[in-house]
Amino acid sequence: MVHQVESKHIGIIGTGYVGLVTGACFAEVGHKVICQDCDERKISILKSGGMPIYEPHLEDLVKKNVGEGSLSFTSELKELISSSEIIFICVGTPPLENGEADLSAVENVTRHIAEESTAYKLIVEKSTVPVQTGIWIKRTLNIYKSTNAHFDVASNPEFLREGSAVEDFLHPDRIVIGVENENTERILHDLYVPILSQSFPCPIHRDCSFHREVPLVVTDINSAELIKHVSNSFLATKISFINAVADICERAEADVTKVAYGVGLDHRIGKDFLNAGIGFGGFCFPKDLQAFIRIAEKLGYDFALLKEVEKINESRMDLILNKLKDYLWIIKGKTIGILGLSFKPNTDDIRFAPSLKIIERLQNEGAILKAYDPKAIDKARGVIPDIVYCNDPFEVAKDSEALLLLTEWEEFRNLDFEKIKTCVRRRLVVDGRNMLDKQKMQELGFEYVGIGR
Ligand code: UDX
């Protein structure tokens, strides 16, 4: 059943992975959305029908809703503020040197909203922010507001995974809102009704009947802000836990993929995020973990557990280098092929990708590096200009003394290793994501090196 949506005028500040997906999806379910970014290059790309980022389904969603007049872009914050009754703050909160989140962009846009607003507005923080940021947003709005403006503030954290962000927005496990009064709760509830009831014609799935109703979690602002950091930190903890178990499996001659399978069948544990490998990267886990540790510290709690999660993740780099040295002895002067640069498959994002640290370590050892990635080469070229980028895995394999699989892109799973065999100088594959069939690789005559198996 399709609910008649009461269309709202929504402003999205920040058109990165979170802002652009949020804007396009809100427009898709019936609202009128204007997105703003201070990066005029991004806005001009969007206005000319281009996409500044790659996310499955996003381009179609943006094009369709721009065409229907329910989604527009501007670089002028004033224009967004004057035309929006609900404003989502989706600006970046990158890590500072000391690991704390840099909230200067959040503070800056909050000040502008206060100064430019002349009526009631609901200000919603969607960027990942430290707990108690909502209090600062409220204070800033009250200090800088013009006479007849008044505000409510809410927290509405995002749980979007890169590579499936549109799917995660339209079919979430839960929607969390941190509010201070019933009016705010009602406004946000009404905004999300189509998604809560899963009653919109889904642009991704032909049949959406399998999607059940979505729970709405209503809390105070502080608790909503914490739900985000606790969720990401717990997921990162799961990953480091299975990576520590992988280290034990190597010593016990056990297979971590089998251990993870047996453990994950326990419904209280679950199979997801139990894939051992070269660890977590991306613009969320590493920075959210650091930020949470710093938040705890400022609140007087030493989060030693999360510090250990970080330490285990960082130790994956040494693990890979040591494995390579166990087989190659000397790395200097050796040609090493890298398959996969993005921090995970189905995204072009290389921010905080384990591949970057591994490449840096190999360069320091004097390796000659070649790399291929289905989507991330353009972004990688800007960060690591001095390696050879190839058009396909076979070019990478040519004359390589070792092949490093660092991102589990589906196209690597069934690669023609018979052909790869004829290209490489040595049949050595280090499978950083335990993606390949160990037995099949060994039968093909490869020295196969996995993680924890
Ligand atoms: C994450 C959270 O999942 C999402 O809810 C939040 O909103 C943003 O941060 P994302 O960073 O896009 O999403 O990627 P995710 O799929 O969580 O993977 C993060 C990293 O963990 C990747 O580098 C991935 O390779 C790694 N990972 C994931 C593992 O090493 N093992 C696993 O089992 C799962």
Side-chain angles (χ1 to χ4, degrees):
M1 175 186 68
V2 179
H3 272 247
Q4 199 46 42
V5 181
E6 187 196 334
S7 180
K8 297 277 186 185
H9 287 258
I10 300 172
I12 306 285
I13 304 178
T15 58
Y17 284 91
V18 175
L20 194 52
V21 169
T22 299
C25 290
F26 269 141
E28 177 64 18
V29 298
H31 299 300
K32 197 153 173 57
V33 182
I34 181 169
C35 297
Q36 181 270 347
D37 202 296
C38 58
D39 179 341
E40 299 201 9
R41 183 188 61 84
K42 266 188 199 170
I43 295 300
S44 61
I45 292 171
L46 287 161
K47 278 185 164 179
S48 57
M51 290 299 290
I53 55 169
Y54 168 73
E55 264 295 325
H57 312 297
L58 186 59
E59 183 162 7
D60 296 345
L61 225 48
V62 168
K63 282 202 164 73
K64 175 179 172 236
N65 286 284
V66 166
E68 290 170 359
S70 49
L71 178 64
S72 63
F73 300 102
T74 177
S75 55
E76 289 306 316
L77 192 50
K78 274 186 183 170
E79 183 186 349
L80 177 141
I81 294 167
S82 60
S83 62
S84 310
E85 52 189 304
I86 305 167
I87 297 176
F88 283 81
I89 299 177
C90 302
V91 294
T93 54
L96 290 167
E97 273 302 303
N98 67 1
E100 285 179 33
D102 177 355
L103 299 177
S104 54
V106 172
E107 192 269 349
N108 180 50
V109 298
T110 303
R111 217 163 355 101
H112 280 87
I113 292 168
E115 289 163 347
E116 303 296 335
S117 297
T118 55
Y120 171 77
K121 300 222 183 265
L122 172 55
I123 312 305
V124 187
E125 53 174 40
K126 189 172 264 295
S127 304
T128 300
V129 292
V131 61
Q132 300 185 334
T133 298
I135 298 170
W136 282 104
I137 289 176
K138 266 178 65 182
R139 273 192 202 140
T140 305
L141 290 168
N142 287 323
I143 290 166
Y144 291 96
K145 72 180 183 182
S146 61
T147 43
N148 42 7
H150 59 291
F151 303 98
D152 277 319
V153 173
S155 164
N156 174 218
E158 52 83 16
F159 302 100
L160 308 180
R161 292 165 298 165
E162 286 186 36
S164 55
V166 171
E167 166 93 28
D168 291 343
F169 192 99
L170 294 174
H171 305 298
D173 289 340
R174 76 291 202 195
I175 290 174
V176 172
I177 55 174
V179 298
E180 289 194 312
N181 56 58
E182 286 185 9
N183 177 51
T184 307
E185 177 183 347
R186 186 183 46 73
I187 294 173
L188 288 175
H189 170 272
D190 294 353
L191 197 67
Y192 274 107
V193 153
I195 293 179
L196 291 168
S197 56
Q198 289 291 294
S199 60
F200 55 90
C202 177
I204 302 178
H205 309 289
R206 220 159 304 294
D207 163 27
C208 252
S209 54
F210 60 92
H211 281 292
R212 72 209 177 327
E213 297 234 332
V214 174
L216 178 64
V217 177
V218 184
T219 72
D220 59 279
I221 294 178
N222 288 341
S223 302
E225 290 166 334
L226 267 180
I227 287 170
K228 171 67 185 175
H229 270 117
V230 171
S231 299
N232 268 12
S233 301
F234 185 79
L235 290 166
T237 301
K238 240 185 139 176
I239 294 168
S240 280
F241 182 80
I242 200 65
N243 279 329
V245 169
D247 290 353
I248 293 169
C249 286
E250 293 202 352
R251 291 159 174 78
E253 293 183 15
D255 182 333
V256 71
T257 57
K258 296 190 172 64
V259 169
Y261 177 69
V263 167
L265 286 172
D266 183 320
H267 72 277
R268 296 165 301 172
I269 298 171
K271 65 178 178 44
D272 293 340
F273 285 67
L274 283 180
N275 306 321
I278 55 173
F280 55 82
F283 198 59
C284 294
F285 282 177
K287 81 174 172 65
D288 289 357
L289 208 52
Q290 273 190 30
F292 198 18
I293 290 168
R294 298 298 309 220
I295 290 164
E297 233 165 59
K298 288 177 95 170
L299 293 170
Y301 180 79
D302 174 15
F303 217 144
L305 173 65
L306 292 188
K307 288 176 181 172
E308 191 58 28
V309 166
E310 252 185 350
K311 218 168 89 189
I312 292 168
N313 198 53
E314 279 150 21
S315 71
R316 303 298 93 195
M317 303 305 119
D318 292 333
L319 180 79
I320 288 289
L321 262 294
N322 293 337
K323 282 177 179 289
L324 268 174
K325 287 178 179 172
D326 287 349
Y327 282 81
L328 294 180
W329 180 22
I330 303 298
I331 288 183
K332 188 174 181 183
K334 293 253 181 18
T335 298
I336 294 175
I338 289 164
L339 297 178
L341 296 166
S342 58
F343 81 95
K344 62 183 276 195
N346 302 319
T347 179
D348 63 348
D349 198 351
I350 58 167
R351 293 175 297 177
F352 297 83
S355 61
L356 301 184
K357 289 185 196 159
I358 292 169
I359 286 170
E360 186 185 358
R361 296 283 295 269
L362 289 172
Q363 287 181 312
N364 294 342
E365 296 272 347
I368 299 158
L369 299 177
K370 304 198 287 182
Y372 165 75
D373 183 287
K375 290 281 181 190
I377 286 185
D378 288 347
K379 292 213 163 139
R381 231 191 272 277
V383 178
I384 323 161
D386 51 350
I387 66 173
V388 175
Y389 290 100
C390 301
N391 298 315
D392 61 53
F394 305 105
E395 223 184 293
V396 171
K398 192 164 174 3
D399 304 330
S400 288
E401 304 260 2
L403 273 182
L404 278 186
L405 193 155
L406 301 183
T407 311
E408 63 279 29
W409 283 96
E410 200 48 38
E411 71 177 76
F412 299 153
R413 190 183 302 281
N414 307 308
L415 207 50
D416 178 353
F417 280 98
E418 282 289 358
K419 185 177 172 189
I420 289 279
K421 232 165 71 171
T422 65
C423 305
V424 294
R425 185 170 178 190
R426 176 169 172 182
R427 295 171 186 169
L428 170 61
V429 173
V430 178
D431 183 0
R433 294 293 183 186
N434 284 341
M435 176 184 209
L436 304 174
D437 181 323
K438 176 176 179 178
Q439 190 181 341
K440 197 178 128 200
M441 293 299 287
Q442 289 171 332
E443 284 164 3
L444 278 169
F446 283 90
E447 296 167 283
Y448 174 88
V449 184
I451 308 280
R453 59 170 180 160

